[in-house]
């Protein structure tokens, strides 16, 4: 069949060059008459035919256009780009997952923009199951090529760790798993677009979500000349069930059904769950929905301790230990991605890291989502607990206030904003002494701190102890401090007493 398809394509190409109708083959169905030309559409996807425009180095489709509704291929003579129903683009790089949305976007782009589609998949730790077979699936949908880029180490080192060091948490709960992943994916897409000479990028984000903003702000920041195509803001599909019907109609394999539709996003930091019964906040999540964490009621009946080693505000290693073991022993060297992957397994086994929240999306609406962030939850706790030793009160207060803004910037897709980069410099500076070890106790869905140690600790037992012995702190000094500190309160009370007389 593949050989027949190649021969048929060659025949169609020669027919267009000579201005005569192409020959029919048994592989084609449905003869179509278009002007004085006629051709038949193959049952398999037919790649666009391209030629170079005389005034451009880009290539454009000239003689083939997929029409999904009836598998028509329209042939036209000449070298002028024909384009699609909505315009003409040469090459488009599509953020591709192989899921429902992006599977139907590939042929939709070819139909509506007469373009070549180059799919791009970023491996940010979503797992081999989600990347297996993507090349075949992308080409079956009509894509010219697919690139899968392994970004796991870069993702953890350059995106997750800065947020972790900053203490960035959105609306008290959300550890920004999806938010951090979008800028690195979009950045890699821009690089791929340059490699293949694409004039546009596309994504499968809906017009109601945050991801469309995160992708497009990154595109704006890194290559403002790229065209951006967002099919969910253009096409007639109005929901996921419509998309499933569309995919089935055009024989596009997708991993969901109408009976169970969860919108999931997974990477090395977390997995998110939205849609289906979760759209009503009154519904409790079903246990079979969870992927990265065990049901806390089914977690081990014995607590497990883990020591996390941190240098300058960033985790570098960990080891499972016992409650009475000494803190600060040697640790095994680990890469950031390896460390996080192993902690996901450890914390997930104990049912740690589940969050059910209603959040305020950037576009204005509220949405309900359930997140699993097992390893990230215990890393966040460990970094925060170590800072309680190494940061003074004023520095911690300023850092916490900036962390809120930092989280908002990341959530809103402004990763490459100079403000976030400047705040990152502050976070790096104040974390210079945040080095040490934190021991956590993992048990039945909870992580609690058991001990903390830092060679740069500002905590002095000889000062804090109820026993005298430091000669640094004189309790008698507190009387003068209280009188001065409470002076505004005392003056206000005297004034009130005078006015009441």
């Amino acid at each position: 069949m593949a050989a027949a398809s190649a021969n048929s394509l060659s025949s169609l190409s020669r027919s267009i060059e000579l201005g005569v109708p192409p020959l029919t083959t048994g592989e084609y169905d449905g003869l179509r008459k278009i002007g004085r030309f006629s051709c038949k559409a193959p049952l398999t996807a037919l790649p666009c035919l391209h030629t170079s425009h005389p005034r451009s180095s880009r290539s454009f489709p000239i003689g083939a256009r997929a029409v999904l509704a009836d598998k028509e291929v329209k042939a036209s003579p000449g070298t002028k780009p024909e384009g699609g129903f909505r315009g003409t683009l040469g090459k488009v790089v599509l953020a591709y997952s192989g899921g429902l949305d992006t599977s139907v976007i590939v042929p939709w782009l070819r139909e509506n923009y007469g373009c070549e589609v180059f799919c791009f998949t970023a491996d940010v730790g979503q797992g081999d199951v989600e990347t297996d077979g993507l090349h075949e699936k992308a080409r079956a949908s009509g894509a010219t090529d697919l690139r899968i880029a392994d970004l796991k180490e870069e993702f953890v080192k350059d995106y997750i760790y800065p947020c972790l060091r900053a203490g960035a948490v959105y609306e008290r709960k959300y550890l920004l798993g999806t938010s951090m992943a979008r800028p690195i994916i979009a950045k890699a897409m821009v690089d791929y677009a340059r490699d293949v000479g694409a004039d546009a990028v596309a994504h499968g984000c809906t017009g109601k979500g945050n991801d469309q903003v995160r992708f497009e702000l990154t595109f704006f920041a890194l290559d403002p000349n790229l065209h951006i195509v967002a099919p969910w803001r253009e096409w007639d599909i109005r929901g996921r069930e419509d998309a499933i019907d569309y995919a089935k109609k055009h024989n596009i394999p997708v991993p969901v059904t109408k009976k169970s539709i969860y919108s999931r996003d997974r990477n090395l930091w977390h997995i998110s769950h939205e849609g289906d019964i979760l759209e009503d906040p009154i519904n409790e999540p079903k246990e079979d929905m969870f992927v990265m964490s065990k049901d806390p009621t089914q977690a081990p009946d014995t607590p497990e301790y883990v020591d996390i080693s941190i240098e300058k505000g960033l985790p570098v290693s960990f080891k499972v230990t016992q409650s009475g073991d000494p803190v600060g022993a040697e640790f095994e060297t680990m890469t950031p991605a390896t460390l996080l992957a192993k902690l996901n397994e450890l914390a997930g086994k104990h049912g740690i890291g589940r969050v059910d929240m209603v959040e305020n999306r950037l576009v204005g609406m509220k949405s309900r989502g359930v997140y699993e962030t097992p390893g990230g939850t215990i890393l966040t706790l460990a970094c925060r607990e170590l800072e309680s030793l190494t940061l003074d009160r004023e520095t911690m207060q300023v850092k916490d206030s900036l962390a809120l803004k930092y989280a908002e910037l990341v959530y809103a897709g402004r990763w490459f904003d100079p403000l976030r980069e400047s705040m990152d410099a502050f976070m790096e500076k104040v974390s210079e002494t945040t080095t040490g070890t934190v021991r956590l106790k993992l048990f039945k869905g909870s992580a609690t701190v058991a001990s903390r140690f830092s060679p740069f600790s500002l905590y002095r037992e000889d000062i804090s102890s109820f026993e005298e012995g430091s000669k640094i702190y004189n309790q008698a000094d507190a009387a003068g401090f209280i009188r001065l500190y409470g002076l505004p309160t005392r003056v206000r009370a005297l004034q009130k007493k005078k006015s009441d007389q």
Side-chain angles (χ1 to χ4, degrees):
M1 182 68 75
S5 298
N7 292 336
S8 302
L9 178 59
S10 176
S11 173
L12 176 59
S13 178
R14 288 195 302 272
S15 300
I16 293 170
E17 293 174 358
L18 298 175
V20 297
L23 297 175
T24 61
T25 71
E27 174 181 358
Y28 286 79
D29 66 346
L31 183 64
R32 298 284 174 174
K33 187 75 174 177
I34 305 170
R36 61 189 180 90
F37 298 104
S38 62
C39 64
K40 293 193 173 186
L43 295 173
T44 55
L46 179 64
C48 294
L49 302 177
H50 283 72
T51 186
S52 297
H53 191 277
R55 289 177 294 178
S56 173
S57 60
R58 299 190 185 279
S59 60
F60 296 94
I62 62 170
R65 185 176 71 196
V67 180
L68 295 179
D70 56 9
K71 295 188 176 70
E72 176 181 325
V73 176
K74 184 175 181 179
S76 60
T79 59
K80 183 179 179 179
E82 180 184 303
F85 296 149
R86 297 174 182 270
T88 300
L89 293 170
K91 298 178 181 179
V92 178
V93 170
L94 168 66
Y96 183 79
S97 67
L100 174 60
D101 298 349
T102 56
S103 293
V104 299
I105 286 174
V106 174
W108 184 91
L109 286 171
R110 296 179 61 201
E111 172 191 2
N112 285 275
Y113 290 96
C115 59
E116 281 189 282
V117 180
F118 290 79
C119 293
F120 179 84
T121 300
D123 182 358
V124 287
Q126 61 267 44
D128 294 339
V129 174
E130 295 193 24
T131 56
D132 287 345
L134 283 188
H135 285 92
E136 293 77 10
K137 184 181 292 186
R139 292 192 177 106
S141 297
T144 299
D145 199 5
L146 166 72
R147 174 181 293 182
I148 300 177
D150 186 347
L151 305 177
K152 292 190 290 293
E153 292 292 350
E154 181 183 354
F155 177 43
V156 180
K157 178 177 177 290
D158 296 338
Y159 293 80
I160 290 177
Y161 274 12
C163 289
L164 181 63
R165 179 177 59 197
V169 179
Y170 182 72
E171 294 191 338
R172 307 169 185 167
K173 287 185 175 183
Y174 180 40
L175 296 179
L176 301 168
T178 300
S179 310
M180 295 184 294
R182 296 306 180 242
I184 186 175
I185 296 172
K187 176 181 178 295
M189 286 178 65
V190 171
D191 294 338
Y192 186 37
R194 290 169 179 161
D195 289 346
V196 300
D199 51 355
V201 286
H203 59 75
C205 308
T206 74
K208 290 185 177 181
N210 300 308
D211 281 346
Q212 58 181 336
V213 182
R214 296 164 183 157
F215 273 105
E216 294 181 32
L217 289 190
T218 302
F219 297 148
F220 291 161
L222 302 182
D223 193 339
N225 293 321
L226 280 172
H227 297 285
I228 299 172
V229 183
W232 271 102
R233 302 201 297 254
E234 297 183 32
W235 61 16
D236 295 329
I237 294 175
R238 290 292 174 259
R240 296 190 180 277
E241 293 196 359
D242 285 351
I244 292 172
D245 291 338
Y246 187 91
K248 287 182 177 179
K249 183 178 180 180
H250 302 292
N251 299 316
I252 300 172
V254 291
V256 294
T257 67
K258 287 185 179 180
K259 293 182 180 179
S260 178
I261 307 177
Y262 286 114
S263 175
R264 287 187 168 106
D265 177 76
R266 183 173 184 174
N267 56 49
L268 203 52
W269 184 249
H270 87 157
I271 185 170
S272 64
H273 312 270
E274 293 179 326
D276 200 35
I277 66 167
L278 299 179
E279 291 186 347
D280 187 345
I282 202 170
N283 292 327
E284 180 181 5
K286 296 179 179 179
E287 186 58 38
D288 61 5
M289 178 192 72
F290 293 96
V291 175
M292 295 178 70
S293 59
K294 194 170 186 178
D295 182 351
T297 64
Q298 302 300 316
D301 294 327
T302 304
E304 194 164 12
Y305 290 85
V306 57
D307 285 359
I308 298 176
S309 177
I310 298 170
E311 293 182 6
K312 297 184 177 181
L314 301 176
V316 293
S317 190
F318 82 94
K319 66 177 180 178
V320 176
T321 185
Q322 301 297 321
S323 176
D325 288 349
V327 176
E330 293 296 323
F331 288 84
E332 176 188 351
T333 301
M334 298 181 185
T335 68
T338 300
L339 183 149
L340 181 54
K342 290 184 176 181
L343 281 180
N344 280 333
E345 294 180 10
L346 178 64
K349 178 178 69 174
H350 291 278
I352 293 170
R354 295 183 177 187
V355 168
D356 184 341
M357 68 179 292
V358 175
E359 68 195 63
N360 291 292
R361 284 184 180 174
L362 183 63
V363 294
M365 71 182 71
K366 287 185 179 291
S367 67
R368 192 266 189 99
V370 176
Y371 301 99
E372 297 176 76
T373 318
T377 296
I378 62 177
L379 286 177
T380 299
L381 175 60
C383 290
R384 189 175 298 163
E385 289 297 332
L386 189 59
E387 287 179 345
S388 70
L389 292 180
T390 62
L391 298 184
D392 61 79
R393 178 176 57 194
E394 285 73 21
T395 300
M396 185 180 293
Q397 289 174 349
V398 172
K399 183 176 183 294
D400 286 348
S401 66
L402 290 178
L404 293 174
K405 186 62 179 179
Y406 194 106
E408 289 178 2
L409 291 173
V410 176
Y411 187 83
R414 295 172 60 185
W415 184 269
F416 294 98
D417 194 301
L419 175 57
R420 189 209 63 83
E421 294 172 345
S422 299
M423 291 170 65
D424 223 25
F426 169 81
M427 299 299 179
E428 182 177 2
K429 178 64 179 177
V430 299
S431 300
E432 284 182 342
T433 59
T434 305
T435 295
T437 302
V438 176
R439 176 169 295 173
L440 300 178
K441 178 182 178 180
L442 313 181
F443 185 62
K444 296 288 186 182
S446 68
T448 55
V449 61
S451 66
R452 318 160 186 82
F453 166 78
S454 172
F456 303 103
S457 175
L458 300 178
Y459 178 86
R460 288 277 300 269
E461 186 177 355
D462 57 344
I463 296 176
S464 302
S465 173
F466 287 106
E467 303 294 332
E468 295 291 346
S470 71
K471 301 187 183 298
I472 296 177
Y473 190 93
N474 187 337
Q475 294 191 44
D477 294 341
F481 165 76
I482 295 170
R483 282 194 295 271
L484 292 178
Y485 185 72
L487 183 60
T489 303
R490 192 175 185 185
V491 170
R492 189 181 305 110
L494 289 171
Q495 177 62 30
K496 186 177 185 301
K497 183 177 181 180
K498 180 179 178 181
S499 62
D500 290 343
Q501 291 177 349

